[in-house]
């Protein structure tokens, strides 16, 4: 199944994708992570992307689309994938529709107050991208990733003024994708109103939503009813 996880920065999509993908045996593809790897390896893509990312702006569509297209042509994407952080603009979504058919878009619906609190307490593994939170989900050992033992750091784009810009960019350029996928009849919303709700619990909720949507998708009338309820 080809899935898209939508949501503002800090909405949890990356954390849930990293838990759900191995359970479904499909790759978790985060364009943010792909860019960070490219920056670390000082590739041409990395050099082009760095300035935009450091400012909290989006990397231009043509660079992202090319990188994503190459990634999903890999053998491991044949049975599906979870896209986290792509598409982020309507032109990216239109291009994606030309490349492949998406089965479901899950939107993480989280109030701004929670987003801001979460994002400013978020730390990330430098090596594998695993996301932690110094209030609700600390690494077991300070500064060390539970998953790969890599170094856990505060990402350079987590400064308050950069966060503000990322949220503005999200509202202007990414939020319109909610209606885009709603109109295609494949949008499912998952709400989180509780800052302290555990990542594992939320990931379960997202997975349940995906599984019940898949079941309903085989029954066209049920699917229309569910979609209209959104
Ligand atoms: P978050 O989910 O916290 O916003 P990501 O790791 O998904 O973080 O993205 C970090 C940065 O990478 C974005 O602010 C943007 O500069 C760049 N980026 C990632 N995906 C895209 C995309 N699809 N289009 C344009 N820029 C992107």
């Amino acid at each position: 199944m080809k899935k898209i996880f939508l949501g503002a920065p800090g909405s949890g999509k990356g954390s849930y994708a990293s838990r759900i993908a191995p359970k479904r045996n499909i790759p978790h593809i985060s364009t943010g992570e792909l860019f960070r790897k490219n920056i670390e390896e000082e590739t041409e893509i990395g050099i082009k992307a760095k300035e935009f990312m450091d400012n909290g702006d989006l990397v231009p569509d043509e660079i992202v689309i090319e990188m994503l297209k190459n990634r999903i042509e890999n053998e491991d994407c044949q049975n599906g994938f979870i896209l986290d952080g792509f598409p982020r603009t309507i032109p990216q979504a239109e291009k994606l529709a030309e490349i492949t058919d998406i089965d479901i878009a899950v939107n993480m619906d989280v109030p701004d107050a929670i987003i801001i609190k979460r994002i400013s307490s978020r730390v990330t593994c430098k090596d594998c991208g695993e996301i932690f939170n110094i209030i609700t989900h600390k690494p077991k050992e300070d500064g060390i990733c539970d998953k790969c033992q890599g170094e856990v750091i505060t990402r350079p784009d987590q400064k308050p003024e950069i966060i503000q810009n990322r949220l503005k960019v999200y509202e202007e350029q990414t939020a319109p994708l909610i209606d885009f996928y709603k109109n295609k009849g494949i949008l499912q919303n998952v709400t989180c109103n509780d800052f302290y709700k555990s990542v594992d619990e939320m990931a379960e909720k997202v997975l349940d939503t995906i599984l019940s949507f898949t079941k309903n998708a085989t029954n066209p009338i049920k699917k229309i009813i569910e979609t209209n309820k959104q």
Side-chain angles (χ1 to χ4, degrees), residues 183-201:
N183 292 337
K184 285 189 182 284
I186 60 165
L187 185 86
Q188 293 289 290
N189 275 307
V190 176
T191 304
C192 180
N193 285 319
D194 179 0
F195 176 72
Y196 293 97
K197 195 151 188 138
S198 84
V199 179
D200 288 335
E201 215 177 315

Side-chain angles (χ1 to χ4, degrees), residues 166-213:
R166 283 163 62 200
L167 293 174
K168 183 170 157 266
V169 167
Y170 167 78
E171 277 309 325
E172 288 172 2
Q173 303 199 52
T174 308
L177 291 176
I178 299 173
D179 276 342
F180 180 92
Y181 287 110
K182 197 171 180 178
N183 292 337
K184 285 189 182 284
I186 60 165
L187 185 86
Q188 293 289 290
N189 275 307
V190 176
T191 304
C192 180
N193 285 319
D194 179 0
F195 176 72
Y196 293 97
K197 195 151 188 138
S198 84
V199 179
D200 288 335
E201 215 177 315
M202 278 307 299
E204 279 300 317
K205 192 170 163 187
V206 172
L207 183 56
D208 285 350
T209 304
I210 293 168
L211 294 176
S212 67
F213 180 79

Side-chain angles (χ1 to χ4, degrees), residues 3-30 33 81-85 105-111 114-115 118-119 122 129-133 136-137 147 188-210:
K3 309 174 180 73
I4 291 172
F5 283 11
L6 293 174
S11 61
K13 58 190 188 319
S15 301
Y16 311 147
S18 78
R19 282 159 180 76
I20 294 170
K23 286 190 185 162
R24 309 303 294 163
N25 220 0
I26 50 176
H28 163 202
I29 301 173
S30 153
E33 272 312 306
F81 45 73
I82 301 178
L83 294 184
D84 154 22
V106 187
N107 177 47
M108 314 306 156
D109 184 12
V110 185
I114 293 187
I115 294 272
R118 252 195 213 154
I119 216 174
R122 176 160 86 173
E130 185 68 3
I131 299 158
F132 298 91
N133 184 292
T136 55
H137 175 52
K147 229 174 151 182
Q188 293 289 290
N189 275 307
V190 176
T191 304
C192 180
N193 285 319
D194 179 0
F195 176 72
Y196 293 97
K197 195 151 188 138
S198 84
V199 179
D200 288 335
E201 215 177 315
M202 278 307 299
E204 279 300 317
K205 192 170 163 187
V206 172
L207 183 56
D208 285 350
T209 304
I210 293 168

